Amino acid sequence: MNLIFLGAPGSGKGTQAVRLAEQIDVLHLSTGDLLRAAVKQGTDLGRKAEKFMKAGELVPDDILIDLIEEKQNAGDLNSGFILDGFPRTIPQAEALDAMFERAGTGIDKAVLLDVDDEEIIKRLSGRMYCSECQAGYNYPANMPKVEGVCDRCGGKLVRRPDDEPEVVKNRLDVYKKQTQPIEDYYRKQSVLLPIPGVGTPDDIFDRIRKGLDVA
Ligand code: AP5
Ligand code: MG
């Protein structure tokens, strides 16, 4: 199955995509995770992307399109995938279509997680993760036993730099201006699957499975 996960920052793309990819045994590919790893390693890609990410702006299209084409050329997308966070603009969606047309493949569904701004701000202001093992926490629903310390490995809990309130506000604006138009792009292709993204992660996962007809 070839899937795209769409939705505003904090709508639960990562939470749901990781779980679904495991269940249906396909690759989970998050462009945000790839870029954060590149920033951490100080690679060329990381150096180019960092200032945009810190400000909550999109990294330029050509950089992201090259990144996905590299994955496609390496054969990483050959056995099914969930793209989480790509495409994010109309030029990215068009480039992906052109790439799949050349390869004789395509998208089965674009799953859109629908969550309002108030809930998103609440989720992102509570998000923490372990600087060592990357385990995720969320205050107050999923707090560590000891304040600031990872239950799993004892590592220090930190926030994503782009979860600061001013940056979250900009990420939401950027989503509405630059990414939301691709909802219509996939609606016109009859592959958009809107899913209410509020409730427990289990409830949302069940809605996605039902929508995709996955056991
Ligand atoms: P990216 O990493 O993709 O960030 P994002 O889209 O802003 O979304 P998040 O990862 O913050 O949220 P999510 O939807 O995955 O939600 P999550 O499951 O974590 O991109 C980061 C940056 O990289 C971009 O700003 C841009 O600069 C750059 N970039 C990436 N791709 C790009 C592209 N294609 N083009 C250009 N630039 C690009 O959940 C959020 C929190 O809520 C978690 O703490 C979670 O535990 C909690 N939560 C989840 N579900 C629930 C629930 N049901 N109830 C309560 N809490 C919940
Ligand atoms: Mg994510």
Side-chain angles (χ1 to χ4, degrees):
M1 202 176 316
N2 296 342
L3 301 172
I4 289 171
F5 267 46
L6 298 176
S11 57
K13 299 182 295 296
T15 303
Q16 299 296 334
V18 165
R19 193 165 163 186
L20 184 66
E22 199 171 304
Q23 166 126 1
I24 62 175
D25 194 22
V26 298
L27 175 78
H28 168 234
L29 204 153
S30 155
T31 45
D33 289 350
L34 289 177
L35 293 171
R36 275 183 293 279
V39 169
K40 201 171 171 190
Q41 287 157 16
T43 64
D44 244 18
L45 171 65
R47 276 192 295 275
K48 282 184 202 153
E50 188 171 16
K51 64 172 187 290
F52 297 103
M53 297 175 78
K54 265 195 177 150
E57 296 291 333
L58 295 184
V59 176
D61 284 337
D62 54 339
I63 297 179
L64 267 296
I65 291 167
D66 285 352
L67 186 66
I68 294 294
E69 279 187 348
E70 255 174 48
K71 299 283 170 196
Q72 163 80 356
N73 294 338
D76 293 359
L77 306 183
N78 288 353
S79 309
F81 57 79
I82 300 179
L83 289 182
D84 160 4
F86 185 95
R88 249 174 156 104
T89 62
I90 295 282
Q92 289 181 20
E94 287 172 346
L96 191 66
D97 273 351
M99 192 179 87
F100 286 147
E101 205 174 307
R102 288 194 297 273
T105 169
I107 296 297
D108 295 308
K109 287 281 177 209
V111 176
L112 169 66
L113 293 173
D114 189 17
V115 181
D116 63 51
D117 287 6
E118 202 185 323
E119 171 71 12
I120 281 168
I121 289 165
K122 196 170 92 192
R123 286 183 191 179
L124 294 185
S125 64
R127 175 162 66 177
M128 301 287 282
Y129 70 97
C130 174
S131 54
E132 301 293 327
C133 75
Q134 319 301 318
Y137 294 85
N138 203 301
Y139 289 66
N142 171 23
M143 285 168 56
K145 293 195 183 83
V146 178
E147 173 68 32
V149 179
C150 178
D151 290 349
R152 213 199 280 172
C153 76
K156 185 173 175 241
L157 300 191
V158 293
R159 300 185 71 177
R160 256 170 61 173
D162 60 350
D163 280 347
E164 296 302 328
E166 274 312 299
V167 186
V168 168
K169 196 172 160 289
N170 193 39
R171 286 162 66 199
L172 284 168
D173 285 348
V174 165
Y175 181 80
K176 282 169 197 155
K177 287 196 193 107
Q178 299 186 53
T179 304
Q180 219 156 26
I182 68 176
E183 294 176 12
D184 246 359
Y185 181 91
Y186 287 115
R187 194 174 285 115
K188 283 187 188 134
Q189 293 190 4
S190 307
V191 292
L192 192 76
L193 176 65
I195 300 283
V198 184
T200 68
D202 283 352
D203 287 343
I204 298 161
F205 190 62
D206 283 345
R207 283 176 211 145
I208 294 172
R209 279 197 314 188
K210 237 180 236 156
L212 292 173
D213 209 8
V214 168

